């Protein structure tokens, strides 16, 4: 987040929409200010190296636990 000067939510949204084959990310917001902040994710430019590193970090978390 520091590198891209964005919030965690913006980074996650930017990474999500950077995935191959994805054209939209649906993001909820409880308040107008949240929607405005989410929209700023469109200004976050991620390098291929960052996208790849984040993908590996997500994979390292493992499968979600379903109870």
């Amino acid at each position: 987040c520091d590198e891209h000067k964005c919030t965690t939510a913006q980074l996650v949204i930017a990474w999500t929409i950077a995935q191959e084959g994805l054209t939209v990310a649906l993001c909820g917001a409880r308040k107008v200010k949240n929607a405005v902040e989410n929209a700023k994710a469109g200004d976050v430019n991620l390098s291929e190296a960052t996208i790849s590193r984040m993908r590996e970090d997500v994979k390292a978390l493992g499968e979600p636990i379903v109870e």
Side-chain angles (χ1 to χ4, degrees), residues 6-19:
C6 66
T7 66
T8 302
Q10 291 165 343
L11 184 64
V12 170
I13 295 166
W15 178 78
T16 301
I17 59 177
Q19 301 309 298

Side-chain angles (χ1 to χ4, degrees), residues 28-48:
R30 293 180 187 258
K31 299 178 182 176
V32 171
K33 70 178 186 176
N34 300 132
V36 170
E37 285 300 309
N38 288 348
K40 291 178 183 177
D43 295 330
V44 178
N45 294 309
L46 303 176
S47 68
E48 286 300 321

